[in-house]
């Protein structure tokens, strides 16, 4: 294939495609895959990608790091739909599209990550994978490990939904509920040789490869739209899910397939906003927030990767934070349009409204908001959002009134 090796995102030290799980050996920063783009351009075109029968992320195999086809683990992830959100009083952006990652195999964008990360684990000869999670990441890791015949251990935040923890176990993973997950995760990898299917930035361990799966969201968005959007908005925790698409937009531009790169914006909760703080302060160091508390648990990490700052700054994007009520309002609005994001996902929609209000998104511009995960995976959170009561065993006269005139019984 066309992957040449790994390169540090800070000092640019290069190395081979290997099991480097503690960052750059010189400066400790994150590593990313580099490709021979001249060979890619000679071998494949944008039209080739568009016309391939494979609708999974592996249609983009020339810009993914896995060389051995036999190592690939896929559940048909990717090719998620873009859904146009109608303009309304609440939604002032006319050309706003939702990239609906909730329809992936385990209902989140994490499936793209683990398809690539665990395929590389198999290519490198690993048979045991470990990760840390608040829910979505672990459920996806367990599913892909099951598909790939890998042993899987998952260190789970005790706040993660029980339904997701049960699915991890159904997939065959060993689930360890632990609030301080960093020390055991590091021990699994450093002391016992497990593959870390988690993060791009060492925190304390990392994989350079999963982020390459996130790139495919940008490829999908451009193929679906037929053009590059003006703005691409991502809910962020560690930030891999933003850095990946930004990297992909750059690849397509350098290959001559597109003529622009969108402004890439990151959104975090106000109570868990380490990347936003660094962005506002002009710092390259992301701080650590003790015990962040937010309804948006999926993006409630205490810290994140500095490479995300580079992606937003170089694209001309913004880092913004939102309150829980703002994200809840966006979740309810999405539900009114037939979509089912968790509040962490709806943060991107609330972010679009904030950017439009501030004049950063202008009239006529095309906006893509990433919905990263599905609300039904978070039943306890859904219970907090739901208003009113179910109608239990009403009498026939009530049902008759409902049928004739819903407003007469308080139904609108």
């Amino acid at each position: 294939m066309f992957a040449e090796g790994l390169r540090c995102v800070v000092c640019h030290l290069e190395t081979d495609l290997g099991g480097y799980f503690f960052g750059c050996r010189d400066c400790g920063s994150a590593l990313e895959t580099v490709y021979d783009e001249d060979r890619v351009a000679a071998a494949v075109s944008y039209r080739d990608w568009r016309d391939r029968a494979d609708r999974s992320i592996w249609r983009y195999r020339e810009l993914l790091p896995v060389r051995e086809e036999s190592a690939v683990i896929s559940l048909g992830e990717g090719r998620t739909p873009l859904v146009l959100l109608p303009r309304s009083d609440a939604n002032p952006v006319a050309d706003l599209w939702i990239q609906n990652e909730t329809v992936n195999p385990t209902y989140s964008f994490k499936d793209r990550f683990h398809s690539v990360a665990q395929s590389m684990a198999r290519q490198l000869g690993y048979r045991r994978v470990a990760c840390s999670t608040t829910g979505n990441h672990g459920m996806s890791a367990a599913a892909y490990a099951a598909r790939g015949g890998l042993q899987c251990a998952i260190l789970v935040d005790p706040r993660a939904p029980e339904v997701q923890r049960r699915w991890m176990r159904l997939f065959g993973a060993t689930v360890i509920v632990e609030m301080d997950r960093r020390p055991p995760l590091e021990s699994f990898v450093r002391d016992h040789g497990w593959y870390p299917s988690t993060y791009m930035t060492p925190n304390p361990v990392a994989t350079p490869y999963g982020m390459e799966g996130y790139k495919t969201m940008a490829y999908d968005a451009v193929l679906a739209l037929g053009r590059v959007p003006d703005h691409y908005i991502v809910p962020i925790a560690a930030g891999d899910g933003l850095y990946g698409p930004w990297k992909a937009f750059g690849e397509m531009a350098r290959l001559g397939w597109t003529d622009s790169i969108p402004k890439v914006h990151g959104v975090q909760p106000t109570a868990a906003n380490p990347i936003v703080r660094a962005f506002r302060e002009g710092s390259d160091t992301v701080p650590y927030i003790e015990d962040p508390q937010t309804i948006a648990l999926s993006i409630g990490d205490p810290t994140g990767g500095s490479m995300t700052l580079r992606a937003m700054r170089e694209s001309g994007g913004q880092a913004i934070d939102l309150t829980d009520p703002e994200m809840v309002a966006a979740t309810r609005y999405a539900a009114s349009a037939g979509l089912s994001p968790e509040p962490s996902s709806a943060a991107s929609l609330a972010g679009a409204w904030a950017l439009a209000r501030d004049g950063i998104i202008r009239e006529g511009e095309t906006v893509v908001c990433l919905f990263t995960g599905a609300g039904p995976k978070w039943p306890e959170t859904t219970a907090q959002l739901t208003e009113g009561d179910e109608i239990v065993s009403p009498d026939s006269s009530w049902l008759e009134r409902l049928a004739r005139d819903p407003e007469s019984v308080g139904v609108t």
Side-chain angles (χ1 to χ4, degrees):
M1 301 298 283
F2 302 93
E4 293 186 308
L6 299 172
R7 181 172 57 208
C8 175
V9 300
V10 174
C11 74
H12 307 300
L13 180 72
E14 296 191 359
T15 188
D16 61 292
L17 291 172
Y20 301 100
F21 304 138
F22 303 95
C24 173
R25 67 172 181 266
D26 276 9
C27 72
S29 299
L31 302 171
E32 64 179 347
T33 307
V34 292
Y35 301 86
D36 186 334
E37 292 180 357
D38 290 336
R39 287 182 58 225
V40 172
V44 69
S45 70
Y46 178 85
R47 179 173 295 180
D48 294 332
W49 276 3
R50 184 193 65 195
D51 294 342
R52 281 178 176 164
D54 187 351
R55 292 297 185 260
S56 77
I57 65 172
W58 296 96
R59 70 192 302 182
Y60 309 122
R61 55 186 175 271
E62 288 84 4
L63 286 174
L64 294 175
V66 181
R67 292 172 173 167
E68 299 171 10
E69 188 173 349
S70 61
V72 170
I73 308 170
S74 178
L75 291 166
E77 59 294 319
R79 191 70 172 190
T80 54
L82 288 186
V83 181
L84 182 64
L85 202 63
R87 190 171 192 168
S88 68
D89 290 341
N91 173 38
V93 184
D95 197 16
L96 190 154
W97 299 81
I98 303 300
Q99 187 163 11
N100 189 11
E101 291 293 300
T102 72
V103 300
N104 274 305
T106 73
Y107 320 109
S108 87
F109 74 150
K110 298 292 186 180
D111 294 341
R112 298 178 187 260
F113 180 101
H114 289 292
S115 180
V116 176
Q118 295 194 31
S119 294
M120 279 302 296
R122 296 214 314 177
Q123 179 170 293
L124 294 171
Y126 289 85
R127 291 294 176 265
R128 298 180 297 174
V129 300
C131 75
S132 170
T133 186
T134 56
N136 291 329
H137 194 88
M139 185 170 163
S140 179
Y144 280 81
R147 185 71 169 186
L150 303 173
Q151 187 176 350
C152 183
I154 303 174
L155 293 150
V156 183
D157 188 305
R159 297 169 294 177
E162 184 176 349
V163 66
Q164 292 198 49
R165 284 147 55 181
R166 288 184 180 276
W167 269 106
M168 294 173 207
R169 292 162 57 197
L170 278 170
F171 287 133
T174 300
V175 174
I176 306 133
V177 179
E178 175 63 63
M179 194 66 189
D180 186 8
R181 291 160 280 149
R182 290 159 54 99
L185 179 60
E186 182 173 10
S187 179
F188 269 85
V189 177
R190 190 182 296 277
D191 301 330
H192 303 287
W194 290 57
Y195 178 96
S197 198
T198 188
Y199 313 127
M200 176 186 175
T201 299
N203 186 30
V205 296
T207 173
Y209 304 113
M211 184 275 297
E212 298 294 306
Y214 286 147
K215 291 193 318 185
T216 62
M217 295 186 294
Y219 305 147
D220 276 355
V222 172
L223 282 178
L225 281 175
R227 64 188 187 280
V228 176
D230 298 293
H231 301 269
Y232 194 82
I233 306 176
V234 184
I236 55 174
D240 294 21
L242 184 150
Y243 190 86
W246 172 78
K247 184 179 185 223
F249 286 123
E251 289 169 341
M252 288 186 283
R254 290 192 300 272
L255 289 166
W257 298 348
T258 59
D259 58 6
S260 65
I261 294 174
K263 294 179 174 66
V264 181
H265 309 282
V267 185
Q268 292 191 304
T270 301
N273 64 349
I275 291 175
V276 174
R277 292 187 191 184
F279 185 91
R280 287 176 178 163
E281 294 167 3
S283 174
D284 292 327
T285 301
V286 179
Y288 189 91
I289 297 175
E290 290 289 346
D291 193 27
Q293 297 292 322
T294 173
I295 195 171
L297 185 60
S298 293
I299 53 171
D301 286 14
T303 190
S306 61
M307 76 287 175
T308 311
L309 298 167
R310 172 190 167 199
M312 291 185 291
R313 288 167 177 158
E314 291 192 10
S315 73
Q318 297 291 314
I320 61 175
D321 55 3
L322 301 164
T323 65
D324 281 9
E326 288 177 297
M327 291 183 286
V328 166
T331 306
R332 289 185 171 133
Y333 184 84
S336 75
L339 298 167
S340 57
E342 57 177 296
S344 300
S345 295
S348 62
L349 176 57
W353 295 342
L355 291 166
R357 186 172 59 244
D358 293 342
I360 295 167
I361 294 174
R362 298 190 296 269
E363 186 69 28
E365 291 187 319
T366 300
V367 179
V368 172
C369 292
L370 189 66
F371 276 11
T372 52
K377 296 172 69 179
W378 300 80
E380 295 87 353
T381 302
T382 302
Q384 296 178 52
L385 303 180
T386 308
E387 297 177 330
D389 297 317
E390 297 175 322
I391 309 303
V392 179
S393 301
D395 59 31
S396 58
S397 64
W398 188 94
L399 291 169
E400 180 66 22
R401 292 196 306 275
L402 173 66
R404 287 198 315 267
D405 181 10
E407 291 186 7
S408 70
V409 291
V411 177
T412 58

